[in-house]
Amino acid sequence: MSDKEEMASDGNLNVTLTLRLLMHGKEVGSIIGKKGETVKKMREESGARINISEGSSPERIVTITGPTEGIFRAFSMIAQKFEEDIAAAMANSNVTSKPPVTLRLVFPGSQCGSLIGKGGSKIKEIRETTGAQVQVAGDMLPDSTERAVTISGAPQAITQCVRHICSVMLESPPKGATIPYRPKVLAAGTHAVLAPQHPAQAFAIPGQYAFAHQDDWMHLPPQVHKSWQYLMILLAA
């Protein structure tokens, strides 16, 4: 483990960074809360700036900027909120296998090699150290030089995973200009097409899965696939 990683793990790393999350409308609504009360509380208690892109796109970009400790607190609060949403959806259902909390980071493609590591060593280390599932998409997001990095697990595992990702960002800055991903606004009457993930082409440690898209459900173990699909129906209701 490098010095920066040790500092991040100990909570002593405190420089300003920006991380971007890709969320669906239902997820955005959850963190905004009634009259914006939830996101206001997150901003005040974390000390991070949390900005949500506007528009009628089915996907939105949530940008979190601040000292790393503030970013960790913001991610912890977001992950905990999604954990509560899952528990609430399961309360009146017959689902017995609880899906993990899943977040999708939008990550500069030029930094993904450092996140994966030689032969997958870095991403494997992050997975084993934090207990979070991690998958780096093989393709760039449309019209950008960024990739989706999906992390799944318990809220604490996700926060620890973000600590490691921040240390990678500091140790390996982006190379060249980054063209940011911007979700497209839908024309009236157009069906939603979400940012694609291609599990067969993505880099994945064996036994890991991405849970963000319907296309990925068929790659899950049967018992998880059934629970996740049913839960997504409940969340969309």
Side-chain angles (χ1 to χ4, degrees), residues 1-10 12-13 167 171:
M1 183 178 287
S2 68
D3 291 341
K4 288 182 179 178
E5 284 179 309
E6 288 179 356
M7 287 164 53
S9 298
D10 293 339
N12 297 321
L13 184 61
S167 72
E171 290 181 333

PDB file of all heavy atoms in Angstrom, residues 1-10 12-13 167 171:
ATOM      1  N   MET A   1       0.848  -1.192   0.000  1.00  0.00           N
ATOM      2  CA  MET A   1       0.000   0.000   0.000  1.00  0.00           C
ATOM      3  C   MET A   1       0.883   1.240   0.000  1.00  0.00           C
ATOM      4  O   MET A   1       1.845   1.344   0.751  1.00  0.00           O
ATOM      5  CB  MET A   1      -0.912  -0.001   1.238  1.00  0.00           C
ATOM      6  CG  MET A   1      -1.890   1.177   1.270  1.00  0.00           C
ATOM      7  SD  MET A   1      -2.990   1.114   2.709  1.00  0.00           S
ATOM      8  CE  MET A   1      -4.069  -0.231   2.257  1.00  0.00           C
ATOM      9  N   SER A   2       0.556   2.226  -0.854  1.00  0.00           N
ATOM     10  CA  SER A   2       1.376   3.422  -0.968  1.00  0.00           C
ATOM     11  C   SER A   2       1.110   4.365   0.196  1.00  0.00           C
ATOM     12  O   SER A   2       0.151   4.209   0.967  1.00  0.00           O
ATOM     13  CB  SER A   2       1.057   4.145  -2.281  1.00  0.00           C
ATOM     14  OG  SER A   2      -0.259   4.673  -2.223  1.00  0.00           O
ATOM     15  N   ASP A   3       1.969   5.408   0.309  1.00  0.00           N
ATOM     16  CA  ASP A   3       1.793   6.386   1.375  1.00  0.00           C
ATOM     17  C   ASP A   3       0.444   7.083   1.261  1.00  0.00           C
ATOM     18  O   ASP A   3      -0.233   7.330   2.259  1.00  0.00           O
ATOM     19  CB  ASP A   3       2.911   7.435   1.322  1.00  0.00           C
ATOM     20  CG  ASP A   3       4.263   6.843   1.702  1.00  0.00           C
ATOM     21  OD1 ASP A   3       4.265   5.772   2.338  1.00  0.00           O
ATOM     22  OD2 ASP A   3       5.289   7.441   1.358  1.00  0.00           O
ATOM     23  N   LYS A   4       0.037   7.412   0.006  1.00  0.00           N
ATOM     24  CA  LYS A   4      -1.233   8.118  -0.188  1.00  0.00           C
ATOM     25  C   LYS A   4      -2.410   7.235   0.173  1.00  0.00           C
ATOM     26  O   LYS A   4      -3.408   7.703   0.710  1.00  0.00           O
ATOM     27  CB  LYS A   4      -1.347   8.620  -1.627  1.00  0.00           C
ATOM     28  CG  LYS A   4      -0.417   9.797  -1.913  1.00  0.00           C
ATOM     29  CD  LYS A   4      -0.570  10.311  -3.330  1.00  0.00           C
ATOM     30  CE  LYS A   4       0.358  11.498  -3.576  1.00  0.00           C
ATOM     31  NZ  LYS A   4       0.282  11.994  -4.953  1.00  0.00           N
ATOM     32  N   GLU A   5      -2.280   5.944  -0.117  1.00  0.00           N
ATOM     33  CA  GLU A   5      -3.355   5.024   0.235  1.00  0.00           C
ATOM     34  C   GLU A   5      -3.463   4.881   1.744  1.00  0.00           C
ATOM     35  O   GLU A   5      -4.555   4.817   2.311  1.00  0.00           O
ATOM     36  CB  GLU A   5      -3.126   3.654  -0.404  1.00  0.00           C
ATOM     37  CG  GLU A   5      -3.438   3.635  -1.881  1.00  0.00           C
ATOM     38  CD  GLU A   5      -3.164   2.273  -2.477  1.00  0.00           C
ATOM     39  OE1 GLU A   5      -2.065   1.730  -2.265  1.00  0.00           O
ATOM     40  OE2 GLU A   5      -4.043   1.751  -3.163  1.00  0.00           O
ATOM     41  N   GLU A   6      -2.306   4.840   2.426  1.00  0.00           N
ATOM     42  CA  GLU A   6      -2.329   4.737   3.879  1.00  0.00           C
ATOM     43  C   GLU A   6      -2.960   5.981   4.489  1.00  0.00           C
ATOM     44  O   GLU A   6      -3.753   5.913   5.427  1.00  0.00           O
ATOM     45  CB  GLU A   6      -0.896   4.558   4.409  1.00  0.00           C
ATOM     46  CG  GLU A   6      -0.316   3.173   4.100  1.00  0.00           C
ATOM     47  CD  GLU A   6       1.105   3.034   4.607  1.00  0.00           C
ATOM     48  OE1 GLU A   6       1.634   4.047   5.128  1.00  0.00           O
ATOM     49  OE2 GLU A   6       1.679   1.952   4.483  1.00  0.00           O
ATOM     50  N   MET A   7      -2.630   7.144   3.919  1.00  0.00           N
ATOM     51  CA  MET A   7      -3.219   8.388   4.399  1.00  0.00           C
ATOM     52  C   MET A   7      -4.718   8.394   4.175  1.00  0.00           C
ATOM     53  O   MET A   7      -5.503   8.815   5.018  1.00  0.00           O
ATOM     54  CB  MET A   7      -2.574   9.573   3.689  1.00  0.00           C
ATOM     55  CG  MET A   7      -1.151   9.863   4.158  1.00  0.00           C
ATOM     56  SD  MET A   7      -0.240  10.925   3.030  1.00  0.00           S
ATOM     57  CE  MET A   7      -1.336  12.297   2.865  1.00  0.00           C
ATOM     58  N   ALA A   8      -5.146   7.903   3.005  1.00  0.00           N
ATOM     59  CA  ALA A   8      -6.576   7.867   2.696  1.00  0.00           C
ATOM     60  C   ALA A   8      -7.304   6.936   3.650  1.00  0.00           C
ATOM     61  O   ALA A   8      -8.388   7.237   4.141  1.00  0.00           O
ATOM     62  CB  ALA A   8      -6.800   7.420   1.252  1.00  0.00           C
ATOM     63  N   SER A   9      -6.694   5.785   3.916  1.00  0.00           N
ATOM     64  CA  SER A   9      -7.324   4.811   4.802  1.00  0.00           C
ATOM     65  C   SER A   9      -7.404   5.333   6.226  1.00  0.00           C
ATOM     66  O   SER A   9      -8.338   5.032   6.966  1.00  0.00           O
ATOM     67  CB  SER A   9      -6.548   3.487   4.780  1.00  0.00           C
ATOM     68  OG  SER A   9      -6.546   2.932   3.490  1.00  0.00           O
ATOM     69  N   ASP A  10      -6.414   6.130   6.628  1.00  0.00           N
ATOM     70  CA  ASP A  10      -6.399   6.663   7.985  1.00  0.00           C
ATOM     71  C   ASP A  10      -7.239   7.925   8.123  1.00  0.00           C
ATOM     72  O   ASP A  10      -7.404   8.451   9.210  1.00  0.00           O
ATOM     73  CB  ASP A  10      -4.952   7.001   8.405  1.00  0.00           C
ATOM     74  CG  ASP A  10      -4.113   5.738   8.536  1.00  0.00           C
ATOM     75  OD1 ASP A  10      -4.706   4.660   8.695  1.00  0.00           O
ATOM     76  OD2 ASP A  10      -2.870   5.844   8.469  1.00  0.00           O
ATOM     77  N   ASN A  12      -6.440  10.822   6.749  1.00  0.00           N
ATOM     78  CA  ASN A  12      -5.578  12.001   6.818  1.00  0.00           C
ATOM     79  C   ASN A  12      -5.386  12.678   5.474  1.00  0.00           C
ATOM     80  O   ASN A  12      -4.758  13.723   5.390  1.00  0.00           O
ATOM     81  CB  ASN A  12      -4.199  11.607   7.365  1.00  0.00           C
ATOM     82  CG  ASN A  12      -4.288  11.086   8.781  1.00  0.00           C
ATOM     83  OD1 ASN A  12      -5.057  11.601   9.579  1.00  0.00           O
ATOM     84  ND2 ASN A  12      -3.519  10.053   9.090  1.00  0.00           N
ATOM     85  N   LEU A  13      -5.904  12.094   4.414  1.00  0.00           N
ATOM     86  CA  LEU A  13      -5.773  12.677   3.091  1.00  0.00           C
ATOM     87  C   LEU A  13      -6.856  13.731   2.939  1.00  0.00           C
ATOM     88  O   LEU A  13      -8.037  13.424   3.013  1.00  0.00           O
ATOM     89  CB  LEU A  13      -5.936  11.578   2.031  1.00  0.00           C
ATOM     90  CG  LEU A  13      -5.729  11.967   0.580  1.00  0.00           C
ATOM     91  CD1 LEU A  13      -4.321  12.468   0.354  1.00  0.00           C
ATOM     92  CD2 LEU A  13      -6.015  10.768  -0.314  1.00  0.00           C
ATOM     93  N   SER A 167      -7.294   7.905  -3.885  1.00  0.00           N
ATOM     94  CA  SER A 167      -5.836   7.806  -3.838  1.00  0.00           C
ATOM     95  C   SER A 167      -5.274   7.493  -5.225  1.00  0.00           C
ATOM     96  O   SER A 167      -4.219   8.002  -5.609  1.00  0.00           O
ATOM     97  CB  SER A 167      -5.386   6.760  -2.817  1.00  0.00           C
ATOM     98  OG  SER A 167      -5.654   5.452  -3.262  1.00  0.00           O
ATOM     99  N   GLU A 171      -2.593   9.777  -7.329  1.00  0.00           N
ATOM    100  CA  GLU A 171      -1.321   9.207  -7.753  1.00  0.00           C
ATOM    101  C   GLU A 171      -1.169   9.198  -9.271  1.00  0.00           C
ATOM    102  O   GLU A 171      -0.056   9.275  -9.785  1.00  0.00           O
ATOM    103  CB  GLU A 171      -1.188   7.778  -7.220  1.00  0.00           C
ATOM    104  CG  GLU A 171      -1.002   7.698  -5.717  1.00  0.00           C
ATOM    105  CD  GLU A 171      -0.839   6.273  -5.237  1.00  0.00           C
ATOM    106  OE1 GLU A 171      -1.356   5.357  -5.910  1.00  0.00           O
ATOM    107  OE2 GLU A 171      -0.187   6.073  -4.207  1.00  0.00           O
TER     108      GLU A 171
END
